[in-house]
Structure formats: C-alpha cells, structure tokens
Amino acid sequence: MASENTRKWAIIPEPNSMTVGEGTVLLPYAGRVNESIAIGDGDFLLAHQLVADIRSATGTDWDIATGDMWSGFIRLRIADSRDFDSQDGGTAGAYTLTINTDGITITGCDFEGVRNGVQTLRQLIRQNGAVLPVLQIEDAPAYRIRGYYLDATRGRVPTLAWLKQWADKLCLYKYNQLQLYIEHTFAFDGMSETWRGSSPLTPADTLEFDQYCANLGIELVPSVSTFGHQYVAMRTQELRELGEFPEDADRPFSFIERMRHHTLNVADDRAFAFSAQLVDSYLQLFRSKRFNICADETFDLGKGKSKQEAQRVGVATLYATYVGKLCEHLSKQGREPMFWGDIAIEMPEILETLPNNVTLLNWQYEPEATDEKIQLVAQAGAKQIVCPAVWGWNALLPRIDDAWNNIARIARYGLDCGAEGMLVTDWGDFGHVNDPRMAVPGMIFGAQYAWNPAGDTAENDLLERISRVEYGDCSARFVALLRNASAQAVFTWRELVEYLELDDGTGNCNTDVAQTIPCLADRLVDHLSDCGNAMTVREARNRMMRNMATTIERIPQANRALQQCMVDIAPIAAHMGNPGITAAVRIAMEGQLLLNRVGFALAEAHDVRDAHDAGDWRPSDYRALARELECWCEAYAKEWNATSQPSELHRIQETVWKAADELRRISK
C-alpha cells in the first residue's frame, strides 16, 4: 500500500493491487446495499455485515435489496467471464472493489470473492465512517486454504458465544477454514468418564457452530486426537488398558506429562475400534469433507505394550500402518484425511506410503525455521499445508516477535514449495493460561501472509496497521506496546509449572518432568552414576534456578519496563472503546509482574541471589507476594469467564496457590 504512512487508514491483508484516486466519497445517510441472488448468500449475510458496520460507524440505517429493479449505492455481484483476466479468472476468492462518486461495487469470482471484498470495505468503513477514499482494488489470495487452528482441549474450552465472535473476526481478515483441537473435551457417547468435569462441547454446539461458520464462508474442519495425546482417556478406568503404559494411569496429574503421554497401543486391535468410533461419530456433525486425525507426538509408541510388535516390524511401519488404516477408513466414507506431519518427517520412509488424498499438516514453530522440512515433503510428492504458530502458549503475554518471524518465514517457504494452504496454530499447553484474545496480533499476521506471502511487509508497519484496523488506535502504538511488554517476561508460566512439577507429589524428583528441562535432562544419568541416588527435588530445583541466574538478573529492570508499558498503554486503551481487551491486557501484564517477582524470590531461596540484593522483595515480603498472587488469580478467573467455560480453570488456580504456599514456606 504505497504512501500508507501518510494515511490514517489501512487494509489487512494488504491488497495486491490498489490505486487511490483524488477526493472522497460520502456515503448517503439513507442508502441501500443491493446483493445479487447469484452470490449464493441465502440470508444476505454479507449485506447485513455492511449495514451493521455502517450503522455502527455513522449511526444511519441502510436498506437491503436484491434484483436489477432495485438501486443500491453499494452493489455486490458475481463476475462474468469478462470481469477477470485469464491470470485471475480461476482464482477462488478473487475480487475487485471500486469506490467512486457513482457508488461502490464489489465483484467476486465466487461467493468467497464477494465475501473477501466485503471484508475490505468493512475495514474501510470502520476506520473512515461515512467518508471513504476513491479507490480501485484488484485482489486475490496466494493460498487457497487460509486456516486457523484453535486448541479447545488442554484446559480451556471456549464458550459457543465466544467461538462465534472469533469466527466473525476470522471472516473479517479473510480466513476460510477453522479447526478446533479436541482430545477429551467433546461429549462423545459412552465416554463420560473421559469428558466429565471438562465443560465439553456437545453435538448441538457443533451443529450450530458449523452452520454459523458456513454462513461466514468458513469451513469448520473436524479435528480429534486418534493416536497420541490421549492423556485423559488413557487415565480412565474404562480405557487405560488401551494405552502403552496403563500402569502409569494413576500418577498425579501433570501439565508437562500431559504433553508427552499417553499414546494409544496400536498393536491392540481394540485401539483401532476406539479411534474409528471417535472418527465415525464426530464426522457426522460436520459438512466438511476433510478430517484431521492429528496422529502427532506419539512419544510412547513402541516403548510400552507395543514394544514387541515395534521390534518385529519397526516403529515407522507400526505408525504408518495404523495411520494408513485410519486414512483408508475415512477415504471409504468420502472424506479427505489430514494429519500432523512431525512423525512422518522424522521417519521419511512413511512419506512414501501416504495415499494420494492425504494432506500432511507440516508444523514448524521456530522463529528462525528453515525450509528443509517443507522441501522434504514437496520432494516426496505429498500434499501439504504449512503450519506456523501465534506463539501464545505457556505465557500470559504473546511473543509477538516470534510469531511474526515464524509466520512470515513459513508462509514464504510454503508458497515456494507449492503448499496448498497455511494453517495458523494457537495452542494452549500447560493449562491454556494464555487468554485467546491475546492471539489476535498473531492471527492477523497469519491473515496477511496467507494472502500475500511474497509481500515486503515490515513488522513495525504491520503492528501499526493492526493497531489501527483491529483496535481503532489512532496512535498506532497499541500492539507495539504489547510486543514490548511481552519482551519483559523473564520468569514465565512455563518456568513456574516446571519448578512446581519437579516435585512428583511424594517429595521425590519427577524425572519425566526433569527430562523436559534441558539443564536437567543431561544431568540425570550423570547424577545417578556419580552419587548412586536419584536427584532430589531440592537438587533439581537448585540446578534449574542456577541455570537461570543470568536471566534472573534482568527482573528488576524488566519489571520497571513492564510497568512503563502499562502506563503508556492505559490512555491508548481508554480511547479504543474495547473494555474486554483492555482488561485482558491489564490482567496479563499484572500477572507477568508477579511471575517475575516469584522467580526472583525463588532464585533467592536457592541462593542464586543474595538477600541484600533483593531490593523491595526481601524474604519478609514473600507472604505479601503470596497474597498478591492469590488476589490476582481471582481477577484472572473473572476474565477467563469472558471467553471460556470453567473447564480446567481450577488447575491454573491450584498452580497459583501452590506457588503462593511455596512462597510462604520459604519465608519461614
């Protein structure tokens, strides 16, 4: 968007071709949207979207009509063969938008194209009100599939009302696919022991949401774990015998162990019957022909009950056979299987066995990711969708720089390698402490780069545009301040969980947890051989905190910077008229201030810091800090309810309370 720095408005994703003319166009105070019946928008939703935004921005009410007997200042129409040249003519989602004194015309090559053009116009109306710029836009997406993947299982189950709000936002930024990640949080018949107490989504929720998404031009794709990540199901009385390690089913709950265990024992014939039942019942609730069986991170495969079979045929064959069987099962029902590609990429021989109708979801989350894995799949001739991340997991504040680096890179690599689409992931590891509203900047990064991966968009420029378009921030500083605040996260939710879960509940060191912490993993075996004993909790925590010594030194400075971010962002937020995001950001920043202070206190308790260096956080203040944590947790719980069902909020609360109790213990 040339000379955008001189404008007070922006469009996201940035159009491929836009010409801004001289002058402006004043919307009539009593206008009409004429939407062609040929678009296929049965409820005239697109026209209603425009009328709602015009009412919100100008206070005036517009009419809606269809047919050539009715005039319309805004006209929505389907293209004929002459409207798009040969280069764009077959591009799903392509559109043109013309604004001049004669009126506004949006022409799409299909329903999605008209929808996309309407979203561009809505963004302009939201920023400019009744006075719009004269312009001409010709636009089309680079990726046919532009999807979002939302974790709805690892602690946070969204309310149906919030899911609809999120779908509305995805539509505004031209996404056309959404998947919800499900492990145990769906009310499958006969599995009440698995989903009890999790506030599960229901068939009625799914049918209603599927229809809602379809009206918005968003394909809701079913996604459910059918292989790995069966932690809750494999801990039940009824299903534990299907797991690789049923003997571990009664271990105390652990956020970290949930990420690594339990894997289905696919050498047992009952395992396929279990997975097939999940698939068969779930797919009936969706109109999509696609189905994501997940099948990722099968860490326990071949190590427990299936060990003998894995030794006979090989782990790769054991994995490929089971996944292939599930894919064939779906294909026979006219469905197109998808699954996460991490295991197949680790064992490339699996790629050669994939059926032609299977799509590999190739996830890479490193900010400095290379194109090696994407090229590997492309060279194997397999269909793939590339999957970056919004980088919100395990943290109160989103890691915006990491999200931008990761998403921009993966989008370009995928385009170069012929990927069919991009699926931006939003995970909730360790209890989903991250408020889903904090993922908005990362989601919009995904919208921009799925539409135009090759564009030369600078991060700071995009942050300013998001501030304007999404948050109505005339200063264009809101997202940059949020980015600066996230950089002050020194001791994060992840470190707190790791520290607490090193205690296995009996006073011994949890070696499964220790093995996930790099500074401890290499030391476990050496410690046993040197001392003849397993590492104690105290020893493990000492080593963890000593390894963080240099980082801990930053905490006083980081908290001063974070407090300044809070001061700077407050007046901006006050003028945005969005109390929901204002409260969410404030709670997250206050929580990170407290987490940093907890890290400082724990470092001091392990002699990483001297007491006289603690400033205002001396040992006598630890009980006060514990009380602050508990008060903060109550405020956090209220914000949780703004987007989510109760689900596993209690686990986050229990973690905070354990931290508070630990502070009281070390103050003695």
Side-chain angles (χ1 to χ4, degrees):
M1 294 174 65
S3 71
E4 183 182 314
N5 291 334
T6 64
R7 300 195 191 111
K8 299 300 182 184
W9 53 267
I11 299 170
I12 305 173
E14 184 177 353
N16 290 289
S17 173
M18 181 173 72
T19 303
V20 179
E22 296 294 329
T24 57
V25 174
L26 181 65
L27 293 177
Y29 67 89
R32 177 183 293 133
V33 179
N34 185 303
E35 179 177 352
S36 170
I37 197 76
I39 292 170
D41 178 16
D43 295 328
F44 298 98
L45 174 69
L46 300 177
H48 282 291
Q49 285 182 329
L50 288 168
V51 168
D53 277 333
I54 290 169
R55 182 185 302 115
S56 178
T58 71
T60 59
D61 287 312
W62 277 39
D63 190 19
I64 293 172
T66 190
D68 56 12
M69 298 295 292
W70 296 93
S71 64
F73 192 81
I74 298 177
R75 298 173 293 276
L76 311 181
R77 54 191 292 267
I78 286 287
D80 60 34
S81 59
R82 297 165 294 179
D83 285 315
F84 291 89
D85 61 31
S86 58
Q87 182 177 357
D88 293 328
T91 303
Y95 71 94
T96 63
L97 167 62
T98 303
I99 302 177
N100 57 37
T101 53
D102 294 331
I104 300 170
T105 301
I106 295 172
T107 303
C109 70
D110 52 14
F111 166 80
E112 185 181 340
V114 179
R115 183 204 71 150
N116 292 336
V118 167
Q119 308 317 308
T120 296
L121 181 56
R122 291 176 67 201
Q123 291 183 21
L124 290 169
I125 292 169
R126 290 182 175 198
Q127 296 169 81
N128 295 283
V131 182
L132 300 180
V134 172
L135 55 73
Q136 171 74 26
I137 290 174
E138 297 180 4
D139 206 8
Y143 280 118
R144 180 173 58 86
I145 296 172
R146 304 175 305 284
Y148 198 85
Y149 194 87
L150 178 65
D151 190 337
T153 207
R154 289 185 181 152
R156 188 187 289 268
V157 177
T159 64
L160 182 57
W162 186 83
L163 282 172
K164 290 179 178 179
Q165 292 176 32
W166 191 249
D168 289 338
K169 202 173 291 293
L170 293 177
C171 175
L172 180 64
Y173 294 105
K174 305 183 178 74
Y175 279 86
N176 62 6
Q177 188 183 106
L178 172 63
Q179 300 187 31
L180 303 180
Y181 176 53
I182 298 295
E183 289 176 9
H184 65 285
T185 53
F186 193 84
F188 288 105
D189 282 352
M191 292 184 63
S192 56
E193 189 187 3
T194 299
W195 49 253
R196 65 187 185 189
S198 69
S199 308
L201 294 168
T202 67
D205 294 331
T206 302
L207 291 171
E208 183 175 343
F209 191 48
D210 185 62
Q211 181 65 58
Y212 192 87
C213 288
N215 291 344
L216 293 171
I218 296 172
E219 178 187 13
L220 185 65
V221 175
S223 172
V224 65
S225 285
T226 58
F227 198 164
H229 290 297
Q230 294 288 347
Y231 184 74
V232 176
M234 296 303 106
R235 285 162 57 85
T236 64
Q237 295 292 330
E238 292 189 20
L239 296 172
R240 64 178 58 191
E241 288 303 318
L242 297 183
E244 286 277 11
F245 294 102
E247 63 271 20
D248 290 341
D250 293 322
R251 288 166 63 98
F253 176 87
S254 161
F255 284 133
I256 295 173
E257 288 186 39
R258 176 157 75 181
M259 298 301 300
R260 302 182 66 81
H261 308 298
H262 293 259
T263 299
L264 208 59
N265 168 23
V266 296
D268 188 326
D269 291 339
R270 294 175 298 174
F272 182 77
F274 168 76
S275 295
Q277 182 180 359
L278 292 179
V279 167
D280 293 348
S281 56
Y282 203 43
L283 65 80
Q284 293 181 351
L285 305 175
F286 297 80
R287 68 193 64 202
S288 173
K289 294 300 182 183
R290 298 181 175 92
F291 197 106
N292 181 4
I293 61 172
C294 295
D296 59 316
E297 297 187 328
T298 51
F299 296 122
D300 293 335
L301 181 64
K303 297 178 180 178
K305 290 282 189 176
S306 71
K307 186 174 183 178
Q308 185 174 353
E309 181 66 8
Q311 290 174 337
R312 186 180 72 84
V313 302
V315 173
T317 298
L318 190 62
Y319 178 90
T321 300
Y322 193 75
V323 169
K325 191 176 179 182
L326 277 175
C327 290
E328 182 182 5
H329 181 75
L330 279 163
S331 298
K332 287 179 178 178
Q333 300 179 71
R335 305 289 167 150
E336 300 172 19
M338 298 175 157
F339 68 93
W340 298 109
D342 52 306
I343 305 301
I345 289 170
E346 288 176 9
M347 306 174 189
E349 61 268 34
I350 294 173
L351 294 174
E352 300 173 3
T353 69
L354 296 180
N356 292 332
N357 68 332
V358 172
T359 300
L360 207 68
L361 301 174
N362 195 349
W363 61 270
Q364 286 181 267
Y365 302 150
E366 302 88 351
E368 305 299 325
T370 69
D371 64 351
E372 181 180 358
K373 293 180 179 179
I374 297 172
Q375 284 199 22
L376 177 67
V377 176
Q379 290 166 2
K383 295 196 297 185
Q384 65 177 319
I385 291 174
V386 292
C387 307
V390 299
W391 272 86
W393 62 85
N394 298 344
L396 292 171
L397 292 165
R399 297 177 288 279
I400 289 175
D401 282 343
D402 289 338
W404 183 79
N405 278 299
N406 176 235
I407 291 170
R409 285 170 181 267
I410 296 301
R412 289 194 296 268
Y413 299 155
L415 186 67
D416 291 343
C417 292
E420 296 195 341
M422 186 164 83
L423 183 67
V424 181
T425 62
D426 182 358
W427 296 104
D429 308 3
F430 293 19
H432 211 143
V433 70
N434 39 309
D435 189 306
R437 291 169 291 188
M438 301 300 234
V440 169
M443 178 273 284
I444 298 178
F445 290 165
Q448 172 63 49
Y449 288 103
W451 192 270
N452 186 8
D456 187 19
T457 303
E459 180 184 8
N460 287 337
D461 172 63
L462 190 49
L463 296 186
E464 290 181 3
R465 289 199 281 133
I466 295 171
S467 295
R468 290 187 186 279
V469 176
E470 171 61 24
Y471 298 107
D473 168 26
C474 295
S475 74
R477 297 177 60 216
F478 180 78
V479 183
L481 286 168
L482 183 59
R483 186 259 317 264
N484 295 346
S486 70
Q488 312 312 320
V490 178
F491 191 79
T492 67
W493 179 255
R494 179 187 184 111
E495 276 94 34
L496 179 63
V497 170
E498 288 173 340
Y499 181 91
L500 295 173
E501 289 197 359
L502 280 169
D503 186 337
D504 69 357
T506 67
N508 295 317
C509 178
N510 186 326
T511 54
D512 275 0
V513 171
Q515 286 170 358
T516 68
I517 304 173
C519 68
L520 297 178
D522 296 338
R523 214 28 216 133
L524 287 173
V525 176
D526 293 341
H527 187 280
L528 184 61
S529 61
D530 292 345
C531 306
N533 298 308
M535 190 180 292
T536 66
V537 175
R538 177 71 185 180
E539 289 167 333
R541 287 176 170 175
N542 273 338
R543 187 169 184 84
M544 175 185 170
M545 296 309 300
R546 285 198 301 272
N547 188 67
M548 293 189 67
T550 303
T551 306
I552 295 292
E553 297 284 346
R554 288 188 50 231
I555 286 179
Q557 178 184 356
N559 270 15
R560 286 192 292 271
L562 185 50
Q563 287 169 330
Q564 187 59 52
C565 285
M566 293 169 64
V567 169
D568 293 340
I569 212 168
I572 295 172
H575 289 90
M576 292 188 333
N578 189 338
I581 191 61
T582 299
V585 168
R586 177 64 186 274
I587 292 298
M589 289 184 175
E590 292 283 3
Q592 188 54 59
L593 282 170
L594 290 170
L595 282 174
N596 282 349
R597 291 172 62 190
V598 170
F600 200 97
L602 294 176
E604 187 176 296
H606 288 274
D607 300 321
V608 174
R609 296 283 310 170
D610 293 330
H612 70 270
D613 271 344
D616 294 334
W617 310 329
R618 295 181 299 277
S620 60
D621 295 316
Y622 293 168
R623 292 185 180 183
L625 178 54
R627 292 192 291 271
E628 288 185 64
L629 268 178
E630 289 158 344
C631 291
W632 171 84
C633 193
E634 291 304 304
Y636 174 86
K638 291 179 181 178
E639 280 309 304
W640 176 286
N641 294 330
T643 63
S644 309
Q645 301 184 64
S647 31
E648 294 185 31
L649 171 61
H650 67 95
R651 297 200 190 278
I652 290 176
Q653 292 173 311
E654 288 162 5
T655 300
V656 173
W657 299 336
K658 285 180 183 178
D661 291 344
E662 183 69 13
L663 288 168
R664 291 186 174 99
R665 186 188 66 78
I666 65 177
S667 70
K668 295 178 181 178

